[in-house]
Amino acid sequence: MNLKQYQPILSLFLFSMITLLIHKGFMFVIGFDQLESQFVYTLPRLYSFFFLLATVILFILIKVNQVSATHVGLTFILLTTFKMGVAYLFLKPILQANLPHSGFEKANFLIVFLLFLATETLLTIRLINNKQQ
């Protein structure tokens, strides 16, 4: 079993931990760290949710790449579309909450979603490029 092929998942884990710490630090600096306890989902829960989804997506893409490298891009698009649907279901309680801080919580959700989407895209591009070389 070649562990090097699972390096994107390790990269994703390191990225998740670093960005979570930066995000928490930013919340502390601007004074919103107490506000987080009133959120529907705390930052560690959001990061865990998106890390789990991204790990599943990357694991599937690695397996697809082993079988047929030409299908990695299409598989990525399909899995990302599925992820967007699951993320919407996860976001629904935030959208339905009529709290004064819900706008800030929605922004946090969007930031985390976009961070993981960008990271998954970059890791998928690396996966496709490595197979072509």
Side-chain angles (χ1 to χ4, degrees):
M1 183 165 143
N2 187 3
L3 293 178
K4 188 176 185 325
Q5 66 189 0
Y6 297 106
Q7 188 271 336
I9 295 174
L10 176 63
S11 297
L12 179 69
F13 177 75
L14 293 174
F15 167 80
S16 300
M17 297 307 292
I18 291 169
T19 53
L20 174 62
L21 292 174
I22 292 170
H23 201 154
K24 292 283 276 185
F26 180 74
M27 295 271 289
F28 179 76
V29 167
I30 63 173
F32 286 159
D33 52 329
Q34 287 86 18
L35 185 63
E36 184 187 356
S37 64
Q38 300 170 8
F39 286 175
V40 175
Y41 304 117
T42 61
L43 286 180
R45 181 178 270 178
L46 274 179
Y47 275 85
S48 298
F49 171 72
F50 283 111
F51 173 74
L52 179 67
L53 286 177
T55 301
V56 169
I57 288 172
L58 284 174
F59 184 76
I60 292 171
L61 290 176
I62 289 168
K63 292 300 179 188
V64 168
N65 193 32
Q66 291 172 350
V67 175
S68 173
T70 58
H71 294 104
V72 173
L74 180 61
T75 305
F76 174 74
I77 292 170
L78 292 172
L79 291 172
T80 302
T81 304
F82 176 74
K83 176 186 141 182
M84 288 173 63
V86 172
Y88 174 74
L89 293 176
F90 199 69
L91 176 66
K92 215 168 182 184
I94 299 172
L95 295 174
Q96 294 173 344
N98 197 10
L99 301 170
H101 61 273
S102 65
F104 188 67
E105 188 173 5
K106 290 173 192 173
N108 273 331
F109 188 92
L110 181 64
I111 288 167
V112 175
F113 176 80
L114 292 176
L115 280 171
F116 275 91
L117 180 61
T119 305
E120 287 171 32
T121 304
L122 291 173
L123 292 172
T124 302
I125 290 169
R126 262 197 222 161
L127 189 67
I128 291 171
N129 286 340
N130 284 343
K131 195 64 170 187
Q132 290 177 355
Q133 292 175 354

